[in-house]
Amino acid sequence: RSGPSLDRLKITPGNVKHKNGKKYLIGYVGVIGEQEGLDLLLKSVEYINQLRDDFHCAIVGGGTDLEKIKELCTSMNLQDCVTFYGRVSDELLIEVLNTCDVCVNPDKPTVMNNLSTMNKIMEYMALKKPIVQYDLKEGKASALKASLYAEPNDIKDFAHKITYLFDNEDVAEEMGAFGHSRVLNELSWDFESKKLIQFYENLFGSHESK
C-alpha cells in the first residue's frame, strides 16, 4: 500500500476558520475527476443541508472535473455550504484536514477504485479522522473500523453515516483512534517501504536464479 509519511502528517488543533462559522466540517482531499464521485458527495451535502445547517464542507484538490464540480455546486445552490480550495500547500492541506470532524471518500464503484489503495484514506487515518466511504474492497481492507461504509452510489446512506458521526462524537473519536493506531503500527511508509523493497529483492532474486 501507499503508506503515509508521519513526518509530513502531523496532528494539530486545526483552524476553526475553515468551518465557516459552523459546528462540523466535512473534509475531502484528492483528485477531482469523474470517478472520484464528487458529484455524489455534493448530492449528499445537499441532502444533509435539507436536514440541518450546522456543517460546512471543505474540498481540497484539483483535477479535470474541478470546474465542472464547482459549476454543479453553484447550480445546486450549495456555494454557502462548500469551499473549494484547489491545489494547496502541504501546510494548508494539513491544517484543513486537522480541522475536519469527518473525512470522506466518495469514490464510485469502478474496477480500479475497488482495488486501489487511496492516499486520502491513509492520510485521514494518520490524522485520527473518522471516515465515511462507499463499500469498496480495498478501501475497506485499508480502513477497517476507522470507516463507516455506505452502499455504493447511495447518497442518502452516505449522508446519514456522516450525520451519525456528527451526533456520536464518542464513536467518531474511537474510529479516529483506531485508524491512527493502524497507521502508526502497520501502514505508515516506515512499514510499507520495507515491503516494497522486499518485493523488489524477491523479484530480482528470482530473475537472477533462472
Side-chain angles (χ1 to χ4, degrees), residues 29-48:
V29 60
V31 175
I32 300 176
E34 193 279 331
Q35 67 188 13
E36 277 74 33
L38 272 296
D39 55 333
L40 300 179
L41 177 59
L42 289 182
K43 290 174 184 176
S44 291
V45 169
E46 180 183 45
Y47 180 71
I48 297 171

Side-chain angles (χ1 to χ4, degrees), residues 90-203:
D90 274 3
E91 290 77 15
L92 181 54
L93 164 66
I94 292 166
E95 180 179 275
V96 173
L97 286 182
N98 270 300
T99 311
C100 293
D101 298 283
V102 178
C103 288
V104 296
N105 175 30
D107 282 347
K108 295 179 178 178
T110 65
V111 173
M112 190 198 82
N113 285 345
N114 194 46
L115 298 176
S116 298
T117 304
M118 300 302 175
N119 288 337
K120 53 183 168 280
I121 295 296
M122 300 295 189
E123 292 172 346
Y124 298 159
M125 292 165 67
L127 296 175
K128 297 184 78 170
K129 299 303 173 181
I131 304 164
V132 174
Q133 57 183 317
Y134 289 116
D135 192 351
L136 302 181
K137 183 177 180 179
E138 177 58 21
K140 198 168 192 174
S142 296
L144 298 178
K145 294 187 292 183
S147 180
L148 298 181
Y149 302 93
E151 287 297 315
N153 295 337
D154 187 334
I155 61 101
K156 289 186 178 180
D157 189 22
F158 199 89
H160 283 302
K161 284 178 167 55
I162 291 172
T163 57
Y164 173 81
L165 292 176
F166 286 170
D167 297 332
N168 293 272
E169 294 180 12
D170 54 338
V171 175
E173 187 174 338
E174 287 178 10
M175 289 169 59
F178 173 87
H180 182 253
S181 176
R182 182 158 161 74
V183 168
L184 207 62
N185 297 305
E186 299 178 63
L187 298 179
S188 75
W189 188 237
D190 287 343
F191 295 96
E192 296 301 321
S193 61
K194 292 180 177 63
K195 295 177 186 177
L196 182 62
I197 291 169
Q198 186 63 53
F199 168 79
Y200 280 117
E201 288 177 347
N202 292 344
L203 181 65

